[in-house]
Amino acid sequence: MEAKASIYIPHAFRSFQGFSVIDIKESSASKTMEIILEKIPEKIHLCPCCGGRLGAQGDRYWVKARHLRCFGWTVTVGFWREKRRCEACRTTRSELIEWLCPTSPHMTLELAWWINRMSEVTSVMAVSRLEAVDKMTCYAVDHYILKRMLQGYEIPKVTRISVDEVYARSPKQQEKHETRDDLFMTVIVDQRTRKVIWVSQSRRKEALDMFFEILGPEACKQIEVVATDQHEGYATSVKEHCSNAIVVWDRFHLVQRFNEALNEERKDELERIDPEGAMGDLMNGKYRYIYLTKAENRSKTDQRHIDQVMKLNERMSKLELIKENFHRIFDTADTQMAQIRLGECYQWAMQIGANYIVDWIRSIMNEDRFWNFWTYRVTTGVSEGINRAIKGLKWQAYGYKNMTYFALKIMQKCGYLNHRFFFTKLAT
Ligand SMILES: [Zn+2]
């Protein structure tokens, strides 16, 4: 397909299937280039809906589509697009142009891929400004390309995963037919690579079921450890699909739940004490190490400090001790030590009548899923980095209305749905 014009036409501009470049109009004043195309005689006209051959030509209209920039100049492609009769669809259709983006027909696919490529490293808003392409178009194009990539996506082989719920929408965005569960997404992370390998809508059991079904029964059998929060739905799903998997409650969530119980105790206590009194100073964070130190290792001064706090407010100091002791449970070498520590926490909480903590400890103390931590040592699932990236995404897009798109964006930024991994995988 050689160009008719005698001017030099770069190879990059000779890739418009079914057309040849006949002219390039440039304007150095506006830094724009328009590539003028003409259809080749042997061009086949196909229906964009059914894929069949189109019949007799009807109307035609001039299309000016944005293409990749060249030396900073804005490049557009101009050509006649024909309308032809489709017998199968029984209507007149605009012919299929393979190199145009189907969701945004005023943009080439090359540019669509490029917009998607750039949105991997920055916000879609920034891409929109940089390329001078309407913001809504950029979102649509990015979404379209991600969906295309998803079609070729394969979940990698995994043995240890973590399943987390991530808060995605505010209750204001909750639809009538939805429940609070729909405000969350289920994020599945490969513990080995720390990459997000799948994101499902909602935090219901079905969300995790879907992942296991896509993964397939053989790959499910390979899963050995699943770290989750205390959500029963997830546990049931794991039990149904992964016959060889052990469920471990995630340390991060346990500490969160514990802190919630502790906070209730603190609120109760603060209503009783005078914040301006001696207690305020003695409970200062700078003395925290004193509470951490084992009694036998304390200096005389430190011990006096503790005694004073104990005298002034036994309950607050005990709560602090319980808290520190609970955190240290996860650093213990084995289950036996952990049991001793948890037993201490429980006893102390009983002594001061910290009922929120007592109830909470009771709810976990007989659960294998809790003690499994000391056997399998799985650390937090959705890591700080992933959490930050998800928050960043929400902030950049001012909250996502389209949850499918949001899920794809998480897989793009924190997983493998991007050029860095996708094309290296396809190449090998
Ligand atoms: Zn058709």
Side-chain angles (χ1 to χ4, degrees):
M1 185 208 323
E2 271 309 302
K4 284 179 187 171
S6 57
I7 53 162
Y8 170 71
I9 290 160
H11 275 274
F13 291 161
R14 297 185 205 178
S15 55
F16 305 102
Q17 200 184 337
F19 294 84
S20 57
V21 179
I22 55 162
D23 196 9
I24 296 176
K25 290 178 183 167
E26 348 170 295
S27 157
S28 54
S30 61
K31 292 201 169 180
T32 54
M33 242 186 261
E34 188 178 6
I35 306 167
I36 308 296
L37 304 179
E38 190 181 76
K39 76 163 178 175
I40 53 170
E42 62 272 27
K43 186 179 191 310
I44 299 163
H45 304 272
L46 297 175
C47 172
C49 299
C50 68
R53 278 198 181 212
L54 294 173
Q57 191 194 331
D59 238 356
R60 63 174 194 170
Y61 55 100
W62 186 252
V63 174
K64 214 173 151 179
R66 278 285 303 275
H67 192 44
L68 290 171
R69 272 178 204 278
C70 184
F71 297 111
W73 287 34
T74 304
V75 179
T76 54
V77 184
F79 64 98
W80 289 107
R81 190 172 185 179
E82 293 177 6
K83 283 185 164 182
R84 285 170 175 263
R85 176 82 191 161
C86 178
E87 288 308 327
C89 296
R90 291 165 174 251
T91 185
T92 306
R93 298 240 187 248
S94 295
E95 61 177 329
L96 173 73
I97 307 289
E98 286 93 343
W99 41 267
L100 279 187
C101 178
T103 55
S104 309
H106 292 281
M107 181 186 293
T108 63
L109 258 181
E110 287 289 338
L111 179 57
W113 278 98
W114 177 242
I115 285 173
N116 167 261
R117 175 80 185 81
M118 281 200 296
S119 80
E120 287 170 5
V121 290
T122 184
S123 71
V124 175
M125 280 291 282
V127 178
S128 155
R129 284 194 292 268
L130 191 68
E131 285 295 309
V133 172
D134 165 69
K135 150 184 113 176
M136 293 321 283
T137 309
C138 281
Y139 280 120
V141 162
D142 186 35
H143 190 177
Y144 168 74
I145 299 291
L146 284 173
K147 276 197 283 191
R148 261 181 80 150
M149 286 172 101
L150 189 70
Q151 285 169 7
Y153 178 73
E154 264 176 57
I155 298 170
K157 297 268 170 292
V158 284
T159 53
R160 289 177 168 225
I161 57 168
S162 72
V163 181
D164 281 88
E165 53 185 72
V166 166
Y167 192 52
R169 288 185 293 167
S170 80
K172 280 182 214 152
Q173 291 170 297
Q174 189 175 322
E175 308 277 337
K176 266 195 182 140
H177 63 277
E178 292 178 331
T179 67
R180 198 178 138 71
D181 287 339
D182 292 290
L183 303 179
F184 292 81
M185 302 234 244
T186 299
V187 177
I188 295 136
V189 175
D190 179 0
Q191 291 267 347
R192 192 177 57 86
T193 58
R194 320 297 293 164
K195 292 277 178 198
V196 172
I197 53 169
W198 193 256
V199 180
S200 295
Q201 308 289 322
S202 96
R203 61 171 178 190
R204 271 190 282 274
K205 173 183 171 290
E206 291 77 14
L208 191 53
D209 287 345
M210 183 195 179
F211 166 74
F212 290 135
E213 275 151 29
I214 295 169
L215 197 61
E218 278 311 307
C220 283
K221 272 187 209 152
Q222 304 302 313
I223 298 177
E224 294 158 8
V225 181
V226 182
T228 72
D229 59 11
Q230 289 167 270
H231 205 70
E232 284 308 315
Y234 291 158
T236 317
S237 179
V238 174
K239 215 172 165 188
E240 277 176 22
H241 293 90
C242 312
S243 46
N244 299 320
I246 302 283
V247 175
V248 184
W249 275 341
D250 185 67
R251 168 184 175 168
F252 174 77
H253 287 102
L254 287 168
V255 170
Q256 247 182 358
R257 292 293 98 77
F258 174 81
N259 284 344
E260 280 165 21
L262 185 71
N263 200 37
E264 292 303 316
E265 304 290 352
R266 215 172 249 154
K267 276 194 268 178
D268 275 8
E269 192 57 26
L270 276 173
E271 279 174 16
R272 269 177 266 172
I273 67 157
D274 170 20
E276 302 297 322
M279 263 307 291
D281 183 52
L282 286 168
M283 287 303 293
N284 193 304
K286 69 187 172 196
Y287 299 123
R288 199 162 152 265
Y289 75 95
I290 302 177
Y291 303 106
L292 281 170
T293 314
K294 280 185 198 160
E296 58 187 30
N297 297 336
R298 277 193 195 116
S299 70
K300 277 184 182 163
T301 335
D302 288 350
Q303 192 55 50
R304 268 201 300 275
H305 181 105
I306 285 291
D307 291 344
Q308 206 179 346
V309 173
M310 294 287 205
K311 230 188 284 168
L312 281 164
N313 190 318
E314 192 192 343
R315 201 147 182 273
M316 275 308 277
S317 59
K318 277 269 167 96
L319 282 174
E320 186 70 12
L321 283 168
I322 294 168
K323 186 192 85 181
E324 295 305 333
N325 207 35
F326 183 77
H327 279 268
R328 286 164 71 198
I329 288 176
F330 297 99
D331 304 329
T332 53
D334 54 58
T335 319
Q336 211 188 348
M337 265 313 289
Q339 278 169 341
I340 293 169
R341 283 249 159 86
L342 190 73
E344 280 171 355
C345 290
Y346 183 72
Q347 263 181 355
W348 297 345
M350 285 285 277
Q351 281 167 15
I352 58 167
N355 293 329
Y356 292 105
I357 293 176
V358 168
D359 288 349
W360 187 77
I361 294 177
R362 268 192 196 142
S363 77
I364 60 158
M365 68 196 306
N366 294 321
E367 283 282 350
D368 284 343
R369 289 175 283 182
F370 176 72
W371 300 110
N372 282 342
F373 173 82
W374 287 272
T375 315
Y376 299 97
R377 294 270 158 197
V378 277
T379 49
T380 56
V382 166
S383 64
E384 266 309 297
I386 293 173
N387 252 326
R388 219 178 301 133
I390 292 173
K391 273 189 192 140
L393 276 172
K394 275 203 276 189
W395 176 79
Q396 279 172 359
Y398 306 104
Y400 280 82
K401 286 188 190 79
N402 187 321
M403 287 296 107
T404 321
Y405 181 41
F406 188 32
L408 290 169
K409 286 301 272 186
I410 297 174
M411 286 173 73
Q412 177 195 48
K413 300 258 178 177
C414 312
Y416 297 107
L417 209 61
N418 52 54
H419 285 68
R420 198 174 146 209
F421 294 101
F422 205 72
F423 292 97
T424 48
K425 193 198 81 185
L426 290 181
T428 52

